[in-house]
Amino acid sequence: MPDAEASIAVGLRPPDLLRPRGSNQVGMRQFNERVVLQALRVHTSLPKADLARLTGLSAQTIGLITARLEEDGLIVKQSRVRGRIGQPSVPLALNPDGAFAIGIKVGRRGAEWLLIDFAAQVRERHAMSYDFPDADALLPAIAQHIHRLRDGLGPLAARNVGAGLAAPFLLGGWHRTLGLSKAQSDEWNQMNLLAEVRARTDVPVSFARDTVAACVAELTGGRGHDLKSFLYIFVDTFVGGGLVINSHLHTGMHGNAGALASLPMHSARAGQGSTALPPQVMAEASLWELEQRLQGEGLDPTAAYDDRALQAPFAVATQAWLGSASLALAHAIVSSTAVLDLSDVVMDGSMSRSLLQALLDQTRAALRQCNWEGLWAPVLHEGRVGAQACALGGAMLPLHANFAPDHDVFLKAG
């Protein structure tokens, strides 16, 4: 298992084709380049005058920076905008072919690989399903897909800046719940997954917890554009989350902030000892629990992840799960609000959008029944990224490490 320090995406070396763009320690010019790139990432396209206004840099400095970035193939000029007072403006935008990154999600039910371009658009996707990952099969497959995605870029392969790996800290955790042997559990819990992947590829690889990576995707490409602070909930095989404060991802002392799966559903009962520990949110709000309900009815458990979940004959079990899951999530939100006093919560997941919407509706109804005395109830929002959030967030790690101005935007260790 990687430690919290190893999980931070630092020290990634960009390919030789791309000039190094360090932060303030390397030089103000390089830092200002990153500021300009970040402004274009957030606003999609801007003319030089707007870039100068937004960044606080002089028009002359913006002219020098944009010329350098255009020479390096990182930005492109768009068509002139006419019809306004004064000279027609020429918007600038990120060049999608300027850089590439690979995102890898390793989950308990499947793995996913994404290739994204400099504009964070998915160019290619591969997926693998399994009941539980076998290290001897999965580790070589991870390396093979990394090389396949990079080499498939042809002459642009040198513009791949790295890969980001998203996986649970304890992939073998809750092994009794999952029906795993202790040996299976120990193999994954004692493995340094990041080191194993790095040993199999020459591509720079960084790591983040899976739901932290999903939160990264939401922060940089979803609700993070509108909300500055929020609790993020991602409902997957297990349930987890992340915490954004002032547009920075706060990962906590051990990189585990937002681990909602482990939140107890009630207090321990006196005198009952460890044999009667209170159940955790995971026992009610995870898609694993929906799988078990479907399987108990003799139905295909994989329907938990697609549109069949709300259709006959799966709908009865799904509705029962929605009832208990929404109560557990409402409990987690109230508990988190009491500690964090946040005004917004964002929920997403690896299920179909229709099932996510049903879960949001029932969770909102459950929240209205909670005791809010002494608290201010937050607004519950639908996530914008969807089921690919973990892999997409993983891919954003090397892009951010190489081109964003603030190394701490979502890599803050504590």
Side-chain angles (χ1 to χ4, degrees), residues 21 48 64-77 92 95 159:
R21 291 187 156 73
K48 292 179 185 178
L64 293 171
I65 288 174
T66 54
R68 178 181 169 92
L69 294 175
E70 187 176 6
E71 178 187 349
D72 286 355
L74 294 174
I75 66 173
V76 292
K77 292 178 180 177
L92 300 171
N95 178 9
R159 288 187 171 269

Side-chain angles (χ1 to χ4, degrees), residues 230-393:
F230 57 90
L231 174 68
Y232 179 76
I233 301 173
F234 193 81
V235 182
D236 201 350
T237 305
F238 286 0
V239 61
L243 177 60
V244 173
I245 299 176
N246 295 327
S247 297
H248 284 60
L249 188 73
H250 179 77
T251 56
M253 182 61 68
H254 302 97
N256 205 34
L260 298 177
S262 300
L263 187 71
M265 289 295 295
H266 58 72
S267 60
R269 304 292 189 249
Q272 290 187 328
S274 60
T275 58
L277 293 175
Q280 298 174 316
V281 167
M282 188 213 75
E284 301 289 341
S286 64
L287 289 178
W288 167 260
E289 173 61 19
L290 177 54
E291 284 186 49
Q292 302 314 297
R293 289 175 181 266
L294 294 173
Q295 200 163 32
E297 298 295 327
L299 301 172
D300 181 359
T302 64
Y305 300 86
D306 58 47
D307 289 331
R308 293 175 293 165
L310 289 172
Q311 301 170 4
F314 306 94
V316 173
T318 300
Q319 290 297 337
W321 174 80
L322 283 168
S324 60
S326 60
L327 292 174
L329 290 168
H331 168 75
I333 292 169
V334 174
S335 301
S336 300
T337 302
V339 176
L340 302 171
D341 191 26
L342 296 175
S343 60
D344 296 282
V345 176
V346 177
M347 187 189 299
D348 210 335
S350 56
M351 72 279 276
S352 68
R353 301 312 282 182
S354 58
L355 181 55
L356 175 64
Q357 190 60 59
L359 183 59
L360 284 162
D361 291 343
Q362 294 210 26
T363 302
R364 292 186 181 110
L367 287 169
R368 289 193 290 269
Q369 303 304 314
C370 291
N371 185 350
W372 290 99
E373 189 168 0
L375 301 172
W376 283 265
V379 178
L380 179 57
H381 306 267
E382 179 181 357
R384 290 176 175 162
V385 180
Q388 294 183 342
C390 297
L392 184 60

